[in-house]
Amino acid sequence: MDTKYALIVIDMQNGFINEGSAQCIKGARATVPACARVIEHFRAQGIPVFFVSRRYRTDGSDVEHTRFKSWLDGGRALSDSCPEDISASAPEEFGICDRDYLIIKPRYSAFFHTELDLILRRLGINTVVLIGTTTPNCIRTTCYDGISLEYNVVVLSDCTSSQTEEIQQSNLRDMNNVGAQIMTAEELISGTQLADTVTETREAVLGGI
């Protein structure tokens, strides 16, 4: 089977990357340049780019109960009524491309109650590359769901972020241990083709069945 890729950009939004937000992830802002480079690289190759993001109702009826109080007290980030610096908008560095896919997710995983899996299968995608925030929550749950759905999963370590470096490294190790491929942006981009660097783990395991 030929390897077909998609880039999944998770929750890289003002409400998660700017310090003024109650939902800010400390390491997220520093990853914006690397994320922007990877996004540009995938677009240039005609590979699908998915922005899978959060957007809350102003009344908070769709906010996780574990986040509701900090969300309410912090200015209702990622909603239509909040200031721009804590909004659902993506960083300007990412630019806009009309070929990109835009998906709103209701919880942590990009696959949970979204059309992501349906679209990926329609496109014949078998390998997803994950970037964004936060590594122990949205990246990790998407990684595990992706593996459960039989995708090859690649996580870019310098394009993902956590509140602390200890949390970041612990979660990267866990995802590596369950079969995700952990790479840097440079390692991925340096190959003349993505197939030069990404291992087709699914085919290697299932090829003899």
Side-chain angles (χ1 to χ4, degrees), residues 47-153:
I47 297 173
V49 176
F50 289 77
F51 286 88
V52 187
S53 307
R54 306 302 298 271
R55 183 179 292 276
Y56 293 127
R57 294 180 61 85
T58 299
D59 63 7
S61 57
D62 53 356
V63 178
E64 300 94 327
H65 70 276
T66 53
R67 178 179 281 170
F68 183 77
K69 187 177 188 306
S70 66
W71 175 84
L72 189 65
D73 295 343
R76 303 175 190 250
L78 305 158
S79 73
D80 289 338
S81 65
C82 71
E84 178 60 25
D85 65 333
I86 61 173
S87 72
S89 299
E92 293 183 0
E93 292 91 332
F94 294 173
I96 298 173
C97 177
D98 58 11
R99 298 192 309 273
D100 294 342
Y101 293 82
L102 308 178
I103 294 176
I104 302 299
K105 63 185 177 69
R107 289 296 181 260
Y108 298 114
S109 172
F111 289 104
F112 181 77
H113 286 201
T114 74
E115 66 270 38
L116 178 61
D117 182 49
L118 172 65
I119 298 174
L120 291 174
R121 293 186 189 280
R122 292 281 304 264
L123 296 174
I125 303 299
N126 56 25
T127 301
V128 293
V129 178
L130 308 183
I131 67 175
T133 198
T134 162
T135 303
N137 297 329
C138 303
I139 299 296
R140 182 167 174 156
T141 54
T142 301
C143 169
Y144 280 50
D145 282 352
I147 291 173
S148 298
L149 291 166
E150 300 290 344
Y151 291 99
N152 300 308
V153 176

Side-chain angles (χ1 to χ4, degrees), residues 62 130 147 172 180 189 191 197 201 206:
D62 53 356
L130 308 183
I147 291 173
L172 291 174
I189 291 172
T197 51
T201 54
L206 301 179

